[in-house]
Amino acid sequence: MEEPPIRLIGTNERILDHIDLDKLYKIEVSGVTIKHNAKLTSSEIANLWTTYQYSTMIICGVEYFLRTVEDEEILKILHYILDFSTNRIQSISEIMHGDNYPLPVGFTKSDVNPDAPRLFSDAMVLLYILNMGRLSLSGESMMFSLSARDDVAGFYSQALNESEELTTMSRKLAQEKGIYTRTPHIPIPEKADFVKKQQFLFGWFGDRRPLVGTEILNLVFNAERNALGEALITGFSQVAQSKKVRKFMERGREISSKHYEVFSSILNEEDLSSSQKITSEVSESTTAPFSDKLMMFHIAGLVASGIGQYGVSVSVSPRRDLEVHYARLVGELAKFAEDGANIMIENGWMEEPPKAADRDELMKRKGN
């Protein structure tokens, strides 16, 4: 029996006569269930597309680390990452194929040499995993909140659970091994109080107030990320095949080192500690475990997340000198990111992300 038309609430007799039964979900409006054709939204497509690329990159990295890492506890975490990354690729493929949306190329076996000698120590791999978990928690929470379809929201809900578990495992293991960086302690105030002077915002000369907790947190976190970034990009600069890529990596190493010194010096001025540099955890190997394409993509992602983190840091750092520092460092990262993008485009390594229709181009075609 043919299903009767469904009346939409508040549309003045507007009738939905045709329903796509392949993809629909239910919405409750004033107690009435309405069927609605649910195509992937722009944010869902963009997020799934990006997650697919990063998942293929992560699998390449894990395949290499499984051959070089010696610590049994870290190996267990790596197997956990491999399992959920593989499942994510499968789930994204099913969702995007369901909407006839092409998958990105991402990264394949041609982008990894699992037999390459050890480039990073076990300790550095663990710190890298911890940082990856933290970044994933931040990004996937936003992706979950922007998901309209139940299957996409369910996918990112699962991803959040996996990233939370990953962060917990790597945090506990880093603490056990004594390589976890804790933020400094601050005095316990006698009572709650309010800011009374505009000098609270000052940061150059005169009565410059001590750093507040949120400022300390972000300075320590940004110093730690740049210490890890400097070590990572040092290894990449040793093994890069292209001269242009190698020079780009060397420049990135200098930027990471400088940013680390900026954040550490601000903390040191107030006798607060920050993380230590870890470039000593990089071996002397010059054999590339990854393709130049993968390494460039990875650094581009870290730079983008760094710019975002600096933006967050500005929003919770009222002291004006910190705002100026962050603004200057963001500008430097933006220029570095642009130069990296140009290298990727020149070599045909940058996949074109999902985008809106070019209406002007469509009208030109119509005119022809």
Side-chain angles (χ1 to χ4, degrees), residues 60-278:
C60 289
V62 171
E63 286 185 354
Y64 167 66
F65 291 136
L66 284 173
R67 301 281 190 94
T68 57
V69 167
E70 298 175 353
D71 187 281
E72 291 296 329
E73 295 301 316
I74 299 176
L75 285 172
K76 290 179 183 178
I77 297 177
L78 287 170
H79 279 293
Y80 177 69
I81 296 171
L82 183 61
D83 287 342
F84 73 63
S85 296
T86 303
N87 290 335
R88 288 182 185 184
I89 289 174
Q90 179 63 33
S91 297
I92 294 172
S93 299
E94 292 174 359
I95 294 172
M96 294 185 71
H97 281 151
D99 268 37
N100 297 316
Y101 205 94
L103 292 171
V105 174
F107 299 91
T108 66
K109 291 184 180 296
S110 63
D111 293 299
V112 59
N113 175 16
D115 296 321
R118 172 191 286 263
L119 185 58
F120 306 116
S121 71
D122 285 6
M124 182 174 162
V125 171
L126 178 56
L127 292 174
Y128 172 86
I129 292 172
L130 176 59
N131 185 67
M132 184 181 76
R134 289 168 171 170
L135 293 179
S136 297
L137 280 173
S138 176
E140 288 159 4
S141 63
M142 182 187 70
M143 292 173 176
F144 170 76
S145 68
L146 294 176
S147 300
R149 263 173 47 169
D150 286 345
D151 57 346
V152 180
F155 170 79
Y156 280 111
S157 176
Q158 177 66 25
L160 269 172
N161 290 334
E162 292 161 349
S163 295
E164 180 182 1
E165 179 65 17
L166 173 64
T167 305
T168 299
M169 289 191 297
S170 54
R171 172 178 56 81
K172 288 183 176 180
L173 187 56
Q175 289 173 345
E176 290 175 8
K177 295 185 177 297
I179 59 174
Y180 184 85
T181 300
R182 298 176 181 270
T183 56
H185 296 287
I186 54 177
I188 300 175
E190 296 180 359
K191 62 178 181 177
D193 203 354
F194 292 87
V195 175
K196 299 178 179 64
K197 297 181 180 179
Q198 292 292 328
Q199 288 175 333
F200 181 80
L201 305 176
F202 296 170
W204 294 112
F205 305 104
D207 295 330
R208 183 170 66 181
R209 62 157 173 80
L211 294 167
V212 297
T214 53
E215 292 168 339
I216 296 170
L217 163 66
N218 283 281
L219 287 167
V220 172
F221 182 50
N222 288 321
E224 181 181 6
R225 280 187 46 147
N226 276 283
L228 179 61
E230 181 185 6
L232 183 70
I233 207 166
T234 295
F236 286 176
S237 67
Q238 290 176 191
V239 301
Q241 302 298 303
S242 164
K243 182 177 180 181
K244 184 172 287 190
V245 171
R246 192 158 54 249
K247 289 185 66 176
F248 176 80
M249 296 295 178
E250 290 170 357
R251 178 180 161 203
R253 181 181 60 185
E254 293 172 0
I255 291 174
S256 295
S257 178
K258 184 177 78 172
H259 288 206
Y260 170 85
E261 294 299 338
V262 169
F263 298 128
S264 295
S265 64
I266 296 171
L267 291 165
N268 291 337
E269 286 175 4
E270 302 194 28
D271 298 317
L272 298 171
S273 60
S274 65
S275 61
Q276 300 297 314
K277 288 198 172 188
I278 57 173

Side-chain angles (χ1 to χ4, degrees), residues 284-310:
E284 296 181 353
S285 174
T286 57
T287 303
F290 309 115
S291 67
D292 284 2
K293 171 190 171 183
L294 186 149
M295 292 189 291
M296 287 294 298
F297 177 86
H298 190 20
I299 295 304
L302 291 179
V303 171
S305 66
I307 292 174
Q309 179 57 40
Y310 287 0

